[in-house]
Amino acid sequence: MQHHDYLAHARAEYQALRALVLAVGPDVPVPTCPGWTVRKLVDHLAGVHSWALNALHTPADGTRPKATPRPQDWDDLLTCWDDRFGDLERLLTSLDPATPTWTFVGPRSAGFWARRQAHEIAIHRLDAEHAVHGHEVPTLLWDTDFAADGVDEYLTRLLVRAAEVHPIERAGRLLFHAADAGRTWELRIAPGQVPETGPPTDSATDEDTTVAGTADAVYRAVWGRPSGAIVSGDRSLLDSLPRP
């Protein structure tokens, strides 16, 4: 996927998410984020956008930036979220994706943030869908390429960072197969080691856990959200993966 593709997805997901937020209001629980309400979801996103904005203004070798404080009033918080997303979208649109900038993992360039924000908003759009519909899994939300890219970003980028904060305590091999995308990833984990993701090295029968389905379903599964993906083998390995 290209830089402009991520920005288009970010805009579409933001618009869908905002409509859901306005439909349910601030105090509705978000079942896929235990302890969260819709207000907390919006506050989180406004904070993430402001953090990304500050990161884009930070040199690649600079000090880790911080998020800007958000207002407590619901209407003011919505305005803050709108403003932060708009500022972020405009800045990312104006920047060459190869522009050096601070990131917490992976390539230290502006393109990292376009991809990261698109998937951040998408997953939380799914959370907002669950706030509206409960634990029922919503129907297909994303096109195949975007969902498969989300699986790849989690396995090759975010899981590496998450394991630094929450060290992995299990050992095993997990196979992820997004059938409609024609893509397969093998994840190898072990206590105290950096997770390794690459193409399958042996037959699928050697895997401890297999997660298979549409790219949309596997995307939800790697993020620990309700999913229609078929999980065979040791499900607890999938459930044990840290999420950022």
Side-chain angles (χ1 to χ4, degrees):
M1 292 182 62
Q2 301 298 312
H3 187 68
H4 64 86
D5 295 322
Y6 292 122
L7 294 178
H9 275 285
R11 163 58 63 176
E13 294 297 325
Y14 158 77
Q15 292 174 335
L17 174 53
R18 198 180 193 287
L20 290 164
V21 162
L22 292 179
V24 297
D27 300 322
V28 171
V30 181
T32 46
C33 298
W36 282 27
T37 60
V38 169
R39 180 191 300 275
K40 173 62 179 175
L41 184 65
V42 172
D43 178 72
H44 171 78
L45 284 164
V48 167
H49 296 336
S50 71
W51 180 51
L53 270 168
N54 293 337
L56 286 163
H57 289 293
T58 301
D61 59 352
T63 303
R64 182 185 180 92
K66 296 181 179 180
T68 304
R70 282 82 63 201
Q72 296 299 309
D73 178 79
W74 175 239
D75 290 336
D76 290 343
L77 178 58
L78 285 173
T79 299
C80 175
W81 176 34
D82 292 339
D83 290 345
R84 295 295 80 75
F85 175 79
D87 291 344
L88 181 62
E89 182 184 35
R90 284 187 290 273
L91 180 56
L92 285 170
T93 299
S94 70
L95 289 174
D96 185 313
T99 302
T101 185
W102 185 91
T103 67
F104 58 89
V105 69
R108 294 189 178 274
S109 64
F112 169 91
W113 288 108
R115 186 189 197 193
R116 177 80 290 277
Q117 292 300 288
H119 289 299
E120 179 77 10
I121 302 169
I123 288 299
H124 288 312
R125 179 265 183 101
L126 175 61
D127 292 327
E129 294 276 2
H130 280 289
V132 174
H133 303 293
H135 287 285
E136 178 182 349
V137 179
T139 56
L140 186 73
L141 295 180
W142 303 292
D143 66 68
T144 299
D145 289 344
F146 180 73
D149 186 81
V151 176
D152 187 80
E153 191 218 22
Y154 171 77
L155 292 175
T156 64
R157 299 280 186 247
L158 297 188
L159 180 58
V160 173
R161 173 57 181 162
E164 293 177 356
V165 180
H166 304 287
I168 290 175
E169 299 178 352
R170 301 287 304 278
R173 292 165 54 186
L174 299 90
L175 184 75
F176 298 90
H177 179 50
D180 53 341
R183 298 187 64 177
T184 305
W185 302 260
E186 183 184 72
L187 171 65
R188 297 172 290 280
I189 58 174
Q193 296 185 20
V194 177
E196 297 181 359
T197 300
T201 54
D202 297 300
S203 69
T205 57
D206 293 325
E207 309 295 340
D208 299 297
T209 308
T210 298
V211 183
T214 63
D216 180 288
V218 177
Y219 186 26
R220 302 177 198 215
V222 297
W223 274 100
R225 268 56 174 187
S227 167
I230 298 173
V231 181
S232 55
D234 186 357
R235 171 145 198 146
S236 68
L237 276 180
L238 173 65
D239 295 337
S240 73
L241 298 179
R243 275 79 186 188

